[in-house]
Amino acid sequence: MIRFDKARTHVEIPASFAVLTSRNDGMLQENAMVRRNEIREGEVAVTPPPPTDAGLTFIGRIHTPWTDRTMTPRQGRHDGPECRIEIFEPWVAALKGLEKFSQVEVLYWLDQSRRDLVLQSPASNRELHGTFSLRSPVRPNPIGTSVAKLVRVEGNMVTVQGLDCLDGTPLIDLKPDRCQFTPIAPKQPGDDEIAS
Amino acid sequence: MIRFDKARTHVEIPASFAVLTSRNDGMLQENAMVRRNEIREGEVAVTPPPPTDAGLTFIGRIHTPWTDRTMTPRQGRHDGPECRIEIFEPWVAALKGLEKFSQVEVLYWLDQSRRDLVLQSPASNRELHGTFSLRSPVRPNPIGTSVAKLVRVEGNMVTVQGLDCLDGTPLIDLKPDRCQFTPIAPKQPGDDEIAS
C-alpha cells in the first residue's frame, strides 16, 4: 500500500460537483491495481451525469491476444499480432465493399474503464493531464478508436493488425480510414466553404 | 415522386431478420427528402436490436455554420470555417493540456441519422455499398469522427477547423490526434509484440 499526502492532491473543480480524489481514504492499492481501476495520486474524479443521452448497440466482438489490461499495447502497431473482428447479425451484409480498403477505422467500447476522471496521472508521478489531452481508455464515454491494417474479410470475420484492446472488447463501428475514402454522395455546398 | 421497380431492390439478407426495402410501398419522396431520412432505391434496412448495450453521456455541443443536412460538407477541410466545441460541466477541467496539440480527434453523435441500413446507395444510382465501407452518417451507432485543426482553447470553448457536422451536434469525445500523441503511461508487454 502507498500512503500519500492528501493535501497535495487538491485541484480546483467547480464546487457544485462532488470531487472524489484518491479513493480508499488516501490509500492507494499496490501498483498493479492502480493500472486497473484505482485512482492514482492527484487524479481527480467527478460525479458524472447518468449516461442516458444515447444508447449503443454492440455490433460485434474483437478477438485479440490480450486477456489482461496490464498486457495490452498502449498503442497498436501495423506489424502487430493479427486480431479478428467478429460481426454480429443483422450487420454482416454491411461489410460489402470493405475489402477494397487497406486501412479501416475501428471504434470499440472500453467496457472495463472508469468514466469519471477529469485529470489523470498516466505516469503515476503526480503530473496531471486533462482527460481530453490523453488517449487513455478512461474517459466520460470510453470509446477507443484505431486505424488498423486490413488483412482480410471472410464471412462475418474481419482480420486486422494494429489493435490495442482486450480480448472480447465490444465493437461499435467500422469504417474506411478517412484518408482512403472519397465520398460517393454528391458534393454539398459546405464542401466548398472556406474560412472567411 | 419517383416510382421504381421493387423487384430490382432485392438483396439477400438472413431470413430471420425483417427486411424493409423502400419505405412507402415502393414510392420514394422527392430527392431532397431522400437526402434526409428516406431510403433510396435498392437500399436495405434491417430491424436492429434495441440500442441498450451501453449508454452515452453528451459532454458538449458543437456549433457549426450548417443548420440543414443538405448544406453540410461531406468531409470537413482544415481551411474550412471555424467551428466551436462547447464543453459542458463537469468535464471542463479535462481540457487541461489539449492546447499543446495542433490536431484533435472529435467524436460526435449524429442524432438525426437512421441506424438501420446495411446497404446504401449514396449516389442514388442503385449501386449498393455496405455501411461499413462508407463514412455515411447512417450506421448502427451513428458516431462521426473527424481529425480537426485546433485553433484555440478558451475556457470551456474549443475552436477548430475541419468539422462537417450540423450545428448543435452532441459531442461525445475529444482526444489528441493519434499521430501527435505519445503515450505517457509506461510501456506494456503488448507494445513490443509483432506478428509471428
Side-chain angles (χ1 to χ4, degrees), chain A residues 57-79:
Chain A
T57 186
F58 295 159
I59 61 167
R61 186 187 295 116
I62 304 179
H63 304 272
T64 77
W66 305 292
T67 54
D68 188 290
R69 287 171 69 178
T70 61
M71 303 299 284
T72 55
R74 296 298 183 184
Q75 279 189 326
R77 41 193 294 171
H78 283 195
D79 60 354

Side-chain angles (χ1 to χ4, degrees), chain B residues 110-143:
Chain B
L110 301 156
D111 59 344
Q112 297 191 25
S113 294
R114 58 187 300 159
R115 304 173 65 165
D116 59 349
L117 297 190
V118 289
L119 293 174
Q120 303 183 42
S121 178
S124 303
N125 63 354
R126 294 181 198 154
E127 259 177 48
L128 293 175
H129 301 258
T131 293
F132 301 142
S133 74
L134 297 171
R135 293 184 65 89
S136 156
V138 172
R139 39 208 327 115
N141 294 303
I143 296 172

Side-chain angles (χ1 to χ4, degrees), chain B residues 5-191:
Chain B
D5 178 3
K6 286 188 84 174
R8 286 189 191 140
T9 71
H10 179 75
V11 177
E12 278 195 35
I13 289 285
S16 55
F17 300 103
V19 177
L20 315 165
T21 50
S22 321
R23 288 199 303 193
N24 301 332
D25 197 27
M27 304 294 286
L28 288 182
Q29 304 292 322
E30 55 180 327
N31 199 41
M33 282 303 293
V34 171
R35 292 165 69 189
R36 291 194 173 88
N37 255 331
E38 294 304 301
I39 204 164
R40 298 186 191 86
E41 186 173 351
E43 291 189 332
V44 174
V46 293
T47 303
T52 51
D53 292 322
L56 296 176
T57 185
F58 295 158
I59 60 167
R61 186 187 294 115
I62 304 178
H63 303 272
T64 76
W66 305 291
T67 55
D68 188 291
R69 287 172 68 180
T70 61
M71 303 300 284
T72 54
R74 296 297 182 184
Q75 280 190 325
R77 41 193 294 171
H78 283 194
D79 60 354
E82 289 190 357
C83 300
R84 287 171 310 120
I85 303 174
E86 175 191 358
I87 306 293
F88 299 152
E89 288 295 1
W91 309 113
V92 178
L95 288 173
K96 178 182 158 70
L98 184 67
E99 71 285 348
K100 285 180 299 196
F101 299 92
S102 63
Q103 296 197 158
V104 294
E105 188 174 347
V106 187
L107 274 65
Y108 39 95
W109 185 251
L110 301 156
D111 59 344
Q112 297 191 25
S113 294
R114 58 187 300 159
R115 304 173 65 165
D116 59 349
L117 297 190
V118 289
L119 293 174
Q120 303 183 42
S121 178
S124 303
N125 63 354
R126 294 181 198 154
E127 259 177 48
L128 293 175
H129 301 258
T131 293
F132 301 142
S133 74
L134 297 171
R135 293 184 65 89
S136 156
V138 172
R139 39 208 327 115
N141 294 303
I143 296 172
T145 72
S146 287
V147 173
K149 181 179 161 190
L150 183 65
V151 178
R152 75 187 80 88
V153 181
E154 288 172 324
N156 73 330
M157 206 62 86
V158 181
T159 303
V160 299
Q161 290 173 286
L163 293 183
D164 52 18
C165 59
L166 273 177
D167 189 43
T169 297
L171 179 72
I172 53 182
D173 202 5
L174 203 54
K175 32 192 160 200
D177 176 28
R178 65 174 57 78
C179 302
Q180 299 190 334
F181 181 72
T182 306
I184 297 165
K187 265 174 85 164
Q188 297 201 140
D191 284 304

Side-chain angles (χ1 to χ4, degrees), chain A residues 15-60:
Chain A
S16 56
F17 299 102
V19 177
L20 316 167
T21 48
S22 321
R23 288 198 304 191
N24 301 335
D25 196 27
M27 305 294 286
L28 288 181
Q29 303 293 322
E30 55 180 328
N31 198 41
M33 281 304 292
V34 172
R35 292 165 70 190
R36 291 195 173 88
N37 254 332
E38 293 305 302
I39 204 164
R40 298 187 191 86
E41 186 172 352
E43 291 189 331
V44 175
V46 294
T47 303
T52 51
D53 292 324
L56 295 177
T57 186
F58 295 159
I59 61 167

